């Protein structure tokens, strides 16, 4: 008699999400924090300009306004100010909660991988009532591949060409959203596998991408 083998179900995927301008609109809070930092240090900072280029590490933005030898101390001050000035003013991006929940409802894991200082990233998630399975901070662009690989992420969602590069290095499927500083053309040219307008489109895309992972609909 021929034996019949039953293959094990494919595990649901781990999906990584960027934070600033992907899951959260941190521009109001970050602007307020930079304004306060400018007042505390007596150094002019164009906070409105700062929030148009969110994504890269804090030190890169600091270099536009402060001398190299000042950056470590001023960065520490910024991070100390951040919880008081940047958390309350930050909003969830449209579809952010639903995107995380779509992954988790399918039995997958949703993780946040961000260049933001990790304690502050966690504060944002707690304040906005989002519950990713893990939050990993202090990683930018290609560095994000470290966390994506460690957590076995097969998809990474972000708004910046740096996020696309991180996904490519990790050999993860790159989903880009046009809610940040980079255009659809820039994201596509960087190598994004798919470009969405925002996260409200993610659950539908995810359902089509991994339909066998989703629970049966009544």
């Amino acid at each position: 008699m021929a034996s019949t083998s039953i293959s094990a179900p494919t595990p649901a995927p781990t999906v990584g999400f960027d934070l600033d301008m992907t899951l959260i609109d941190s521009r109001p809070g970050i602007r307020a924090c930079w304004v306060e930092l400018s007042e505390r240090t007596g150094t002019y900072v164009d906070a409105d300009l700062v929030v148009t280029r969110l994504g890269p590490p804090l030190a890169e933005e600091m270099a536009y306004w402060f001398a190299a030898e000042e950056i470590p101390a001023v960065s520490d001050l910024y991070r100390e100010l951040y919880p008081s000035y940047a958390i309350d003013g930050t909003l969830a991006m449209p579809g952010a909660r639903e995107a995380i929940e779509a992954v988790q409802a399918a039995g997958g894991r949703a993780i946040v991988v961000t260049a933001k200082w990790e304690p502050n990233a966690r504060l944002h998630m707690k304040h906005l009532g989002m519950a990713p399975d893990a939050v990993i901070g202090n990683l930018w662009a290609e560095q994000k591949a470290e966390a994506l690989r460690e957590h076995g992420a097969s998809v990474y969602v972000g708004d910046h060409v740096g996020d696309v590069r991180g996904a490519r290095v990790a050999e993860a499927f790159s989903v880009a959203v046009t809610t940040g500083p980079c255009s659809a053309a820039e994201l596509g040219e960087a190598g994004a596998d798919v470009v969405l307008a925002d996260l409200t489109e993610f659950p539908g895309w995810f359902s089509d991408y991994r339909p066998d992972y989703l629970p049966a609909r009544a």
Side-chain angles (χ1 to χ4, degrees):
M1 175 184 289
S3 61
T4 302
S5 61
I6 300 175
S7 60
T10 304
T14 293
V15 177
F17 292 90
D18 176 50
L19 186 62
D20 290 298
M21 304 312 299
T22 298
L23 289 174
I24 64 174
D25 184 351
S26 51
R27 291 173 297 183
I30 287 178
R31 183 187 184 283
C33 195
W34 277 94
V35 168
E36 180 64 19
L37 182 74
S38 179
E39 292 180 359
R40 296 278 186 106
T41 60
T43 300
Y44 171 74
V45 174
D46 185 342
D48 291 318
L49 176 59
V50 169
V51 297
T52 66
R53 52 192 183 201
L54 300 181
L58 177 62
E60 289 191 19
E61 186 62 43
M62 285 284 177
Y64 289 106
W65 313 105
F66 296 93
E69 63 272 16
E70 298 177 298
I71 290 176
V74 179
S75 294
D76 286 344
L77 175 58
Y78 175 90
R79 292 185 178 112
E80 290 173 10
L81 295 171
Y82 197 97
S84 297
Y85 291 89
I87 301 299
D88 286 347
T90 292
L91 306 171
M93 295 295 285
R97 292 184 181 87
E98 293 82 358
I100 290 174
E101 291 167 0
V103 175
Q104 294 172 332
R109 298 178 70 246
I111 65 173
V112 175
V113 183
T114 174
K116 190 179 295 295
W117 195 49
E118 190 171 305
N120 287 338
R122 293 180 181 277
L123 286 177
H124 279 301
M125 294 293 91
K126 181 178 179 180
H127 177 73
L128 293 172
M130 296 187 198
D133 296 282
V135 177
I136 306 97
N138 315 320
L139 297 174
W140 163 240
E142 289 84 354
Q143 296 172 341
K144 293 186 175 188
E146 300 171 16
L148 296 174
R149 286 170 171 162
E150 180 181 349
H151 288 266
S154 57
V155 177
Y156 186 58
V157 186
D159 65 279
H160 199 283
V161 294
D163 299 323
V164 178
R165 298 202 306 269
R168 305 312 295 178
V169 172
E171 298 183 342
F173 195 94
S174 174
V175 178
V177 288
T178 59
T179 47
C182 300
S183 68
E186 290 171 323
L187 295 164
E189 289 170 5
D193 293 297
V194 65
V195 179
L196 308 177
D198 57 34
L199 286 179
T200 64
E201 297 181 2
F202 178 83
W205 172 84
F206 186 68
S207 177
D208 291 338
Y209 178 63
R210 298 292 190 188
D212 53 315
Y213 292 144
L214 298 180
R217 296 182 175 90

